[in-house]
Every structure is written in C-alpha cells, then in structure tokens.
C-alpha cells in the first residue's frame, strides 16, 4: 500500500483510508456491524494504516465500534477523529461548537471511547461561525502540547478560514469531499493546500455509492439513510432527475474500467489519488470484497487517455461536475 505524507508535516499514512461514517449504524441504513469490524483488521493486514472517524458518527457509535474492532492494534494505525458539535441528551446534534473548552472536553470523550491516550490527527468537523478561529486554534495547540493529539486540522474549511488558522499554528490537513461528481475543490482549495503544505483528505471518494456500480435508476434509499433527502453537501446528486443521469455515467465508467480489467470503484479511487494535493482518499469498507477492491486501486496510475475518456463521458451524458459551485461550509 502506497504511503503518503500529509503536506509538510511528519504525518504519513496509507493513500487509501478506512472511513467509518458507514459504521455509525444510523446514517447509512442497515450494515452488518460484525462484518465491518472484521474488515478493520483485514484492512490493517493489507497495509491500510489510516482510520478516520468522528464523535458525530452515530453520534458516538462509530468511535466505539472502531475501538472494539482495533483491540490491541491501535498503535499500528494513524487514528483520525473529529469534534465540533453540540448535542442534546438524545443524543442529537443541535449546533456547531468549536470553543476552546468544548473541544478540549470533547477530545477527552473521544479518547475514552477510542480507548487510547492520544489521536494522531484531530479535526474540527465543520466551521463554527460563532467562535473566533483564534480561540479554536488555542484549544488545538493546547491539546497538542498536552500530548493528547499529535497533529490537528480542519474539515470543510474554505481558503479564507484556513489562512486564518495558519496565523496561529499549522494545520496538517483539510478534509473535504472530492470525487468525479463533485469537483468543487479543484479550482482553489486543492491548489491552496498543495502550495501551503496542508494535507488533503478526500471524503466521498466513491460518490457516496454512486461510483460503485451498485445503483440502478430505480434504486431507493431506506429510512435513516441520509441520501434519501436527495442532497449531498449542497449538491442534488440523489434527486431523481440528476440520479438517473449519474447512474448512466457510472454504467459507462464501468465499461471503461472493464477495458483495463479494473472495477469502477478502482477507477474512481485512482482518479482521486491522481491529484497531487491528495494525501488520502477515504472510503467505507464493510466487507472483504470491498476491501480487496479498494486496496488494489492504489496500484493504478491513470494516463491522459483515461482521464480524457472520463471527462468525455460526463460531457456526452450531460452531467455537471460543479467546479464553480460554492463550497458547503
């Protein structure tokens, strides 16, 4: 498995990261929790060293399930989690909160659930527009100095926000969505991260399932699956009129990948990893088949002919890639 450096830091991890949003058991419909836990250990055995979670996944379920699955293998991996939300007693998200005292308190909670003394990378999950970035960075610096986190970063921040962060410390990474159907970050954020020594963690690398080949035009999403709303981070990817065309694009991408004896998921991951700013492509892996498929994607380096063929498919079907759409913050 290829290992990549996060910007100009000493943080190094596998190019494909194990995303655990799907392990939350509350946001992606039904999953086999035991099978997902087995996939964690198989992933480590196959060279995947980065595992990404967050307190909000569940909330809390994903961190707890990951800790249970890791067992005594915690020190074999790079562990990433995220804070920055307020919850009621349900628990349900009731707002964003990146105040210094809050993120320190919630980091302690994450450490407890993850059964570890430290995390390798702590991220602020979404911008808190009511808390000064200086205060948030103070909290992150304090956590770093205490040894509770090795590095810190952000998620879903735009350039202005990251530039302000850099006035008070150095962020190791920004985690933002990036896939063939969502190219909003290509024009500014990805180049900025590359130029400023900030790692880029791409989530939704398989288009939240669109780029797996598993959907048909008649696919529906069960109750509790966030895709049922039709929207994906401010883009109408799962609204019927868009979804049908996207499935058509994916079917043609399946044919393209098959010509190289690859799967469409491998094509999608290789496409994300092809960008020089990307440190890690995150993907959910719920069983051994998905795991083997994702690991093999790192061996495929796309040439210009393949990249052009991908763009032609999007143009011919008439599916937008949203380069000029505003970032969700």
């Amino acid at each position: 498995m290829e290992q990549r450096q996060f910007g100009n830091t000493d943080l190094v991890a596998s190019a494909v990261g194990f995303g655990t949003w799907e392990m939350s058991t509350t946001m992606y419909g039904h999953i086999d929790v035991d099978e997902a836990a087995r996939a964690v250990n198989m992933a480590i055995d196959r060279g995947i060293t980065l595992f990404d979670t967050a307190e909000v996944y569940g909330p809390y379920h994903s961190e707890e399930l990951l800790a249970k699955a890791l067992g005594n293998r915690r020190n074999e991996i790079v562990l990433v989690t995220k804070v920055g939300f307020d919850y009621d007693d349900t628990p349900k998200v009731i707002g964003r909160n990146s105040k210094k005292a809050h993120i320190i308190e919630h980091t302690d909670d994450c450490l407890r659930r993850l059964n570890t003394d430290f995390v390798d990378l702590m991220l602020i999950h979404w911008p808190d527009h009511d808390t000064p970035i200086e205060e948030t960075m103070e909290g992150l610096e304090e956590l770093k100095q205490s040894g509770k986190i090795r590095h810190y970063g952000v998620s879903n921040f735009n350039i202005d926000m990251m530039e302000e962060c850099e006035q008070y410390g150095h962020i190791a990474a920004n985690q933002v969505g990036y896939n063939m159907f969502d190219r909003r970050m290509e024009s500014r954020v990805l180049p900025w991260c590359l130029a400023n020594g900030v790692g880029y963690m791409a989530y939704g690398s398989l288009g939240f399932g669109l780029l797996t080949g598993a959907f048909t035009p008649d696919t529906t999403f069960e109750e509790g699956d966030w895709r049922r709303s039709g929207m994906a981070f401010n883009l109408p990817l799962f609204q019927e009129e868009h979804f049908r065309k996207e499935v058509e694009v994916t079917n043609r991408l399946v044919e393209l990948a098959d010509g190289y004896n690859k799967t469409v998921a491998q094509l999608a991951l290789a496409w994300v990893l092809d960008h020089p700013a990307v440190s890690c492509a995150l993907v959910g892996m719920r069983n051994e088949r998905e795991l083997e498929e994702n690991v093999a994607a790192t061996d495929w380096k796309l040439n210009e002919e393949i990249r052009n063929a991908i763009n032609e498919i999007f143009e011919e079907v008439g599916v937008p890639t949203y380069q000029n759409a505003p970032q969700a913050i």
Side-chain angles (χ1 to χ4, degrees), residues 36-209:
R38 286 192 294 272
V40 167
N41 283 277
M42 288 188 290
I44 299 173
D45 292 339
R46 286 157 178 77
I48 291 178
T49 59
L50 188 139
F51 287 75
D52 176 85
T53 186
E55 65 170 2
V56 77
Y57 296 166
Y60 314 139
H61 297 155
S62 177
E63 288 182 327
E64 293 166 346
L65 289 172
L66 179 58
K68 182 179 178 181
L70 285 172
N72 61 4
R73 305 189 74 176
R74 157 68 185 97
N75 291 330
E76 297 180 44
I77 69 158
V78 171
L79 183 58
V80 184
T81 193
K82 313 176 201 69
V83 294
F85 287 108
D86 269 326
Y87 307 89
D88 61 19
D89 294 335
T90 313
K92 179 182 178 182
V93 173
I94 56 174
R96 302 179 188 180
N97 189 340
S98 294
K99 291 182 171 60
K100 176 181 176 179
H102 181 88
I103 63 174
I104 290 174
E105 176 188 350
H106 280 245
T107 295
D108 287 336
D109 293 337
C110 291
L111 295 177
R112 175 180 49 79
R113 285 189 294 269
L114 288 164
N115 192 29
T116 185
D117 295 327
F118 71 97
V119 293
D120 298 281
L121 178 61
M122 174 60 76
L123 304 179
I124 300 300
H125 207 148
W126 282 89
D128 172 6
H129 302 291
D130 297 321
T131 299
I133 284 177
E134 180 180 7
E135 178 182 343
T136 302
M137 291 292 288
E138 264 184 38
L140 291 170
E141 275 290 333
E142 186 171 312
L143 286 165
K144 185 175 181 180
Q145 294 303 318
S146 71
K148 293 179 179 180
I149 63 175
R150 287 184 56 222
H151 298 275
Y152 56 76
V154 294
S155 183
N156 304 299
F157 276 43
N158 64 23
I159 288 176
D160 289 343
M161 294 169 181
M162 289 190 288
E163 287 183 337
E164 188 171 353
C165 287
E166 290 290 277
Q167 296 177 27
Y168 308 107
H170 182 55
I171 53 177
N174 185 18
Q175 185 179 129
V176 192
Y178 183 50
N179 59 70
M180 290 185 197
F181 289 108
D182 179 4
R183 307 187 194 182
R184 285 176 288 182
M185 300 304 107
E186 283 186 343
S187 61
R188 298 188 67 231
V189 171
L190 278 159
W192 187 92
C193 288
L194 185 62
N196 288 274
V198 174
Y200 189 98
M201 302 176 70
Y203 66 74
S205 302
L206 299 184
F208 311 109

Side-chain angles (χ1 to χ4, degrees), residues 218-291:
D218 299 319
T219 295
T220 58
F221 299 100
E222 64 184 84
E223 200 69 41
D225 191 316
W226 68 273
R227 294 168 293 189
R228 191 179 176 93
S229 71
M231 298 297 291
F233 300 92
N234 290 358
L235 297 183
L237 300 185
F238 296 100
Q239 292 181 1
E240 184 176 355
E241 59 187 287
H242 296 274
F243 182 71
R244 289 182 177 276
K245 283 189 174 184
E246 289 153 4
V247 170
E248 182 180 347
V249 164
T250 299
N251 290 339
R252 291 187 58 179
L253 291 173
V254 168
E255 296 175 3
L256 176 63
D258 189 59
Y260 294 89
N261 295 315
K262 302 288 187 179
T263 68
V264 67
Q266 290 170 333
L267 176 65
L269 280 176
W271 183 90
V272 170
L273 291 169
D274 193 50
H275 197 291
V278 172
S279 308
C280 178
L282 294 170
V283 59
M285 292 172 261
R286 300 192 283 189
N287 54 55
E288 186 171 9
R289 180 192 62 77
E290 292 178 355
L291 172 64

